[in-house]
Amino acid sequence: MQLARRGGVNALGLRELTRAVGVTANAAYRHFADHQALVLAVADEAQDRLAHAMLDKIATIPRDLGPGEYALAELRAVGLGYVQFALSEPGWFELAILTQNGRPENSSVEERAPLPYQLLLDALEHMVEAGVLAPERRRNAEWACWCTVHGIADLATRGPLHEKDRAAVDEIAEYAVESIISGVRGEPAPVRAAPGRPPRGA
Amino acid sequence: MQLARRGGVNALGLRELTRAVGVTANAAYRHFADHQALVLAVADEAQDRLAHAMLDKIATIPRDLGPGEYALAELRAVGLGYVQFALSEPGWFELAILTQNGRPENSSVEERAPLPYQLLLDALEHMVEAGVLAPERRRNAEWACWCTVHGIADLATRGPLHEKDRAAVDEIAEYAVESIISGVRGEPAPVRAAPGRPPRGA
DNA sequence: TGTACATCAGTGAACGCGCGTTCACTGATGTAC
DNA sequence: TGTACATCAGTGAACGCGCGTTCACTGATGTAC
């Protein structure tokens, strides 16, 4: 996990890793079938940490909100938790996403339902229950949300947003998340203040 | 370009590439300073093809639309052109995005203003001029749009959308693009039809 | 018209490196009887 | 209580590979005078 944190997948060479542990290269074969299995194990752990970052974000939502407001805050937390994890831990994030690849054939996200994905589904479900997302708008909403939030993460991690400072990216993230939420709901979004950071709270 | 098309960056090893051309490995040093310079050259070309895919998409917009409708169609074309290029040519797309990295220090996207990015800015500009995007909503709109569209491309290329079939991804793409556009504009979006593909035209 | 020289794409061999994986083996720890 | 055996993490050496890069060189083409 330490290696992955700094260097992402590329830092997880079998030799580099066993060297870091202070052990012979092929000692790894006592614990993992091959190199890929090892990487997948690290990826699983990274994905778990992503999920917990999102859960931590959810835990900060005030308890006294109505169900509608709460569900909305939940979706925001899921999205911003995802982005902020990517920004804070780009190496782990890369792994967490990669988790998919090289998996047994017929195991889609829907089937495996990894924790981060499940949190997104839950938030949307709660929104429908609370009446802040019309049922006829539920379809594909998870993908629209995920795409927006993942786009920020990837552009900020490997793309043109990489050279922007953290504050600027945070602002863009909050703006993009608000935009896609209101876009998915079909409700007009409030205009954000032009200069400086937009307000954080409700 | 042929190698990049099938294998992305990973297929652009200096030896693999010169081998494909039918030439000794170090013959490449006649034309490029080193391996990275070669990859960057390919990336530039890939980015150019991305831009032209977007331009082709723009060219299909009916001429008889009013300026507002036209500008909206332009933004849609820019976004869907981006996604569809990514889906059709994932190898080139990977290169086109990578273009950033390993560039001389102080050259941000804004300064270099590569063609695809410029097309996005133009579309937004036209929307403001035509009065279909309020000026106070212009700020950061390019990033919200880019993020959404890039998120689809990346999830469909390396992520969980990869195993979905093309039609499903296209549907998600159109839905996400509509959502983010209406989110950015602050206008309510129409509900899309639940089963089957949503209508393509206005 | 012919000679001398510069340019330049490409050659062939080598260097040093790190990689994932396999092999036969060691040495300590636990467990059955 | 002591012996025999199984388990198991780890060792050390080797295999075969492909990589980016450097070196001195060749051979054809163009150009100046």
Side-chain angles (χ1 to χ4, degrees):
Chain A
M1 292 306 289
Q2 285 172 25
L3 285 181
R5 185 173 208 169
R6 274 193 278 101
V9 213
N10 289 338
L12 294 186
L14 185 139
R15 291 192 109 102
E16 183 170 3
L17 202 147
T18 49
R19 209 181 301 129
V21 175
V23 119
T24 298
N26 67 12
Y29 288 88
R30 281 284 140 197
H31 307 272
F32 302 95
D34 56 10
H35 179 229
Q36 178 177 264
L38 198 165
V39 173
L40 276 185
V42 179
D44 279 339
E45 173 65 23
Q47 188 172 85
D48 211 59
R49 300 203 183 185
L50 165 59
H52 279 91
M54 294 161 75
L55 281 169
D56 288 350
K57 198 86 184 168
I58 291 175
T60 68
I61 303 174
R63 294 259 166 249
D64 53 355
L65 295 179
E69 280 303 314
Y70 187 89
L72 276 169
E74 206 181 332
L75 183 58
R76 263 189 288 265
V78 162
L80 292 179
Y82 186 92
V83 175
Q84 286 166 14
F85 181 80
L87 294 178
S88 304
E89 301 291 352
W92 288 345
F93 178 74
E94 182 189 8
L95 263 297
I97 293 311
L98 209 93
T99 261
Q100 231 56 30
N101 310 5
R103 269 279 158 32
E105 313 135 35
N106 45 3
S107 71
S108 65
V109 210
E110 284 92 344
E111 289 158 9
R112 298 196 306 111
L115 199 41
Y117 179 69
Q118 192 55 54
L119 293 176
L120 171 59
L121 294 187
D122 289 349
L124 289 170
E125 180 67 22
H126 297 162
M127 283 174 64
V128 173
E129 287 169 4
V132 292
L133 176 62
E136 67 270 22
R137 290 189 177 275
R138 171 64 186 79
R139 179 181 164 81
N140 278 338
E142 72 270 33
W143 293 111
C145 292
W146 193 352
C147 285
T148 298
V149 134
H150 179 77
I152 305 169
D154 197 51
L155 290 187
T157 279
R158 309 185 305 152
L161 279 177
H162 192 239
E163 65 226 357
K164 290 213 180 282
D165 62 17
R166 177 70 187 253
V169 176
D170 278 340
E171 181 189 332
I172 290 170
E174 293 191 31
Y175 170 74
V177 167
E178 278 328 305
S179 295
I180 193 63
I181 291 179
S182 71
V184 164
R185 294 179 66 208
E187 301 286 332
V191 181
R192 331 268 352 231
R197 312 266 315 266
R200 266 198 179 257
Chain B
M1 293 306 289
Q2 284 171 26
L3 286 180
R5 186 174 208 169
R6 274 192 279 102
V9 213
N10 289 338
L12 293 186
L14 185 139
R15 291 193 110 102
E16 183 170 3
L17 202 147
T18 50
R19 209 181 301 128
V21 175
V23 118
T24 298
N26 66 14
Y29 288 89
R30 280 285 139 197
H31 306 273
F32 302 95
D34 56 11
H35 179 229
Q36 177 177 265
L38 198 165
V39 172
L40 277 185
V42 179
D44 279 338
E45 174 65 24
Q47 189 172 84
D48 212 59
R49 301 202 183 184
L50 165 59
H52 280 91
M54 292 161 74
L55 282 169
D56 288 349
K57 197 85 186 169
I58 291 175
T60 67
I61 302 173
R63 293 260 166 248
D64 53 356
L65 295 178
E69 281 302 315
Y70 186 90
L72 276 169
E74 205 181 332
L75 184 57
R76 263 189 287 265
V78 162
L80 292 179
Y82 187 92
V83 175
Q84 286 168 12
F85 181 80
L87 294 178
S88 304
E89 300 291 352
W92 288 346
F93 178 73
E94 182 188 9
L95 263 296
I97 293 309
L98 210 93
T99 261
Q100 233 52 34
N101 309 6
R103 269 278 159 34
E105 315 134 35
N106 44 4
S107 71
S108 65
V109 210
E110 285 92 344
E111 289 158 8
R112 299 196 305 112
L115 199 41
Y117 179 69
Q118 192 56 53
L119 293 176
L120 170 58
L121 294 187
D122 288 351
L124 289 169
E125 179 68 22
H126 297 162
M127 283 173 65
V128 173
E129 286 169 3
V132 292
L133 175 63
E136 67 270 22
R137 290 189 178 275
R138 171 63 187 77
R139 177 181 165 82
N140 278 338
E142 71 271 33
W143 293 111
C145 292
W146 193 351
C147 286
T148 297
V149 135
H150 178 76
I152 305 169
D154 198 50
L155 290 187
T157 279
R158 309 186 304 151
L161 278 177
H162 193 239
E163 65 226 359
K164 290 210 179 283
D165 62 17
R166 177 67 187 254
V169 176
D170 277 341
E171 181 189 332
I172 290 171
E174 293 190 33
Y175 169 73
V177 167
E178 278 326 305
S179 295
I180 193 61
I181 291 179
S182 70
V184 163
R185 293 178 67 208
E187 301 286 333
V191 180
R192 333 260 358 222
R197 310 267 315 266
R200 267 197 178 261

